[in-house]
């Protein structure tokens, strides 16, 4: 497992923990959702191309993942969840407290993106893992 | 004129007894929710009847599978560790039920080839089941215990009383689970 995947899983676990008291941690859940998706994308990108995206422009990273998937004939349907979260990143970061509904929405998109990443690219690393 | 809301329907079904199958079904649901929260985007199968995997490769081919897996959860969208839960809600008041539960635990311990195994029991059976041998013979792995608390006024609650420890799994069994996932549709999963 790469360090990107480990980081992505850590962020996703933290998001799930905070979701148990979502009323108190709405903004934190939304931000963790975005950052776990970015880290999952790095793990996917590293697996497909050997390099993870470096830099702040995450939409470029998303485009690169899509193009690597197309090249490898991998289903790209899950990338829309990453794109959605990236489009909300600034709003979640700089517009004050995120509402509960938006926060749940972010969490759902993060989990759907993670699910896609596991099913299509990350998969089982060893038969006993 | 404001629309008037109809009065809420009175629930009068609380005293209607439910069958053993219905109790087990409610427990299945609540345990699935528990695993959904515990694992990372798992694929969950409820009572996967078509799963005959425990016939091989660890079990004598002539033996009949009498133990069902009630909840099967495969971590990381089907690519990670495999968790299996067997539910036993018959209260262990008499010796016959105790022997039955002890046998189920032994079968789970010895034959179900998954990474994490759980026995789910009602609150009254916790003491009895926790005194059973829950550790694998080779020392790697321990069966976890889930308590199912049945509450009259609402849905049951499930909590892990003893955390399971990871078992070693034959790689051929994992391949069988992968094949199973290709032919069966999960009851709960995050779709993309």
């Amino acid at each position: 497992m790469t360090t990107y995947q480990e980081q992505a899983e850590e962020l996703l676990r933290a998001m799930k923990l905070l979701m148990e008291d979502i009323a108190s941690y709405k903004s934190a859940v939304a931000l963790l959702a975005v950052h776990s998706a970015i880290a999952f994308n790095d793990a996917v990108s590293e697996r497909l191309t050997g390099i993870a995206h470096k830099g702040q422009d995450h939409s470029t990273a998303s485009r690169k993942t899509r193009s690597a998937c197309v090249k490898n004939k991998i289903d790209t349907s899950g990338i829309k969840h990453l794109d959605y979260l990236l489009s909300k990143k600034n709003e979640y970061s700089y517009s004050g407290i995120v509402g509960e509904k938006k926060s749940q929405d972010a969490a759902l998109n993060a989990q759907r993106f993670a699910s896609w990443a596991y099913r299509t690219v990350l998969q089982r690393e060893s038969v006993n893992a | 004129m404001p629309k008037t809301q109809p009065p809420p329907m009175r629930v009068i079904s609380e005293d209607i007894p439910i069958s053993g199958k219905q109790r087990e079904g409610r427990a299945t649901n609540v345990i699935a929710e528990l695993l959904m929260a515990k694992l990372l985007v798992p694929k969950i199968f409820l009572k996967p009847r078509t799963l005959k995997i425990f016939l091989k490769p660890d079990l004598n081919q002539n033996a009949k599978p009498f133990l069902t897996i009630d909840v099967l959860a495969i971590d990381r969208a089907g690519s990670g560790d495999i968790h299996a839960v067997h539910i036993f809600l018959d209260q262990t008041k008499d010796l016959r039920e105790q022997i039955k539960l002890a046998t189920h635990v032994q079968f789970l311990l010895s034959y179900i080839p998954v990474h994490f195994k759980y026995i789910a029991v009602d609150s009254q059976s916790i003491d009895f089941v926790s005194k059973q041998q829950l550790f694998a013979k080779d020392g790697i792995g321990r069966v976890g215990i889930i308590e199912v608390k049945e509450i009259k006024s609402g849905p049951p609650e499930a909590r892990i009383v003893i955390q399971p420890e990871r078992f070693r799994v034959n790689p051929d069994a994992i391949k069988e689970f992968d094949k199973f996932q290709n032919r069966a549709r999960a009851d709960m999963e995050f779709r993309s």
Side-chain angles (χ1 to χ4, degrees):
Chain A
M1 192 186 293
T2 66
T3 49
Y4 293 109
Q5 187 176 336
E6 278 178 47
Q7 188 193 36
E9 292 185 354
E10 187 182 312
L11 292 166
L12 197 64
R13 278 205 182 88
M15 183 196 83
K16 290 184 73 176
L17 268 177
L18 296 190
M19 280 176 77
E20 287 173 19
D21 184 9
I22 196 162
S24 306
Y25 299 107
K26 302 179 281 284
S27 302
V29 165
L31 287 169
L32 285 167
V34 172
H35 287 281
S36 92
I38 290 171
F40 267 111
N41 188 50
D42 288 341
V44 166
S45 178
E46 189 182 41
R47 182 69 68 86
L48 292 177
T49 66
I51 15 168
H53 177 73
K54 306 261 188 239
Q56 288 301 306
D57 184 6
H58 299 296
S59 49
T60 306
S62 161
R63 278 198 299 277
K64 282 184 177 169
T65 299
R66 188 180 294 278
S67 122
C69 286
V70 170
K71 199 173 165 187
N72 288 282
K73 294 182 178 150
I74 292 169
D75 158 44
T76 58
S77 63
I79 300 176
K80 62 177 180 280
H81 303 297
L82 171 68
D83 290 337
Y84 175 82
L85 288 166
L86 292 176
S87 74
K88 299 284 181 189
K89 185 170 174 265
N90 283 348
E91 182 191 328
Y92 295 161
S93 304
Y94 308 117
S95 304
I97 295 290
V98 178
E100 196 170 315
K101 171 78 182 60
K102 284 183 178 176
S103 176
Q104 282 171 337
D105 198 34
L108 182 62
N109 275 281
Q111 291 180 95
R112 285 183 169 168
F113 182 65
S115 178
W116 169 83
Y118 284 126
R119 278 190 298 100
T120 56
V121 181
L122 303 176
Q123 297 177 348
R124 210 183 292 281
E125 285 186 331
S126 77
V127 285
N128 211 18
Chain B
M1 213 156 136
K3 280 183 186 173
T4 51
Q5 293 285 325
M9 191 182 289
R10 277 185 61 203
V11 178
I12 53 169
S13 61
E14 283 304 323
D15 293 332
I16 296 172
I18 60 170
S19 68
K21 196 176 175 182
Q22 288 167 328
R23 282 176 65 217
E24 205 178 286
R26 297 181 92 198
T28 301
N29 245 333
V30 77
I31 290 166
E33 292 291 343
L34 178 76
L35 292 178
M36 200 58 150
K38 178 182 158 72
L39 306 178
L40 282 179
V41 295
K43 263 188 177 183
I44 295 187
F45 300 87
L46 306 179
K47 298 186 177 294
R49 299 293 182 209
T50 56
L51 184 66
K52 302 290 183 200
I53 197 158
F54 41 87
L55 277 175
K56 59 182 183 178
D58 295 331
L59 181 60
N60 178 343
Q61 293 291 335
N62 298 321
K64 282 185 182 171
F66 76 97
L67 190 72
T68 53
I69 292 176
D70 295 300
V71 182
L72 177 75
I74 309 181
D75 207 8
R76 296 183 170 96
S79 68
D81 287 335
I82 303 161
H83 297 243
V85 184
H86 175 66
I87 300 173
F88 189 97
L89 294 180
D90 300 332
Q91 291 179 9
T92 47
K93 283 178 188 159
D94 62 41
L95 185 64
R96 205 175 63 136
E97 288 304 327
Q98 288 180 352
I99 291 170
K100 198 172 156 191
L101 176 54
T103 314
H104 282 210
V105 172
Q106 284 314 303
F107 197 95
L108 189 62
L109 187 62
S110 311
Y111 298 123
I112 308 288
V114 298
H115 299 105
F116 291 96
K117 312 178 187 193
Y118 310 73
I119 180 96
V121 294
D122 56 274
S123 303
Q124 285 75 26
S125 306
I126 291 288
D127 269 357
F128 176 79
V129 79
S130 57
K131 287 175 192 149
Q132 302 302 304
Q133 176 57 272
L134 300 171
F135 289 94
K137 276 183 194 157
D138 67 358
I140 299 174
R142 183 190 196 184
V143 173
I145 298 178
I146 296 175
E147 178 187 10
V148 178
K149 208 173 183 175
E150 294 178 286
I151 300 162
K152 208 176 174 187
S153 58
E157 290 172 2
R159 68 180 183 110
I160 296 175
V161 178
I162 290 182
Q163 286 291 344
E165 293 169 26
R166 204 170 192 277
F167 284 80
R168 260 201 303 228
V169 181
N170 185 325
D172 290 338
I174 296 174
K175 281 181 195 159
E176 290 296 324
F177 276 105
D178 287 342
K179 281 187 207 162
F180 165 75
Q181 287 190 75
N182 288 335
R183 66 174 191 269
R185 191 170 183 152
D187 293 289
M188 296 165 82
E189 67 177 318
F190 285 93
R191 295 183 304 273
S192 56

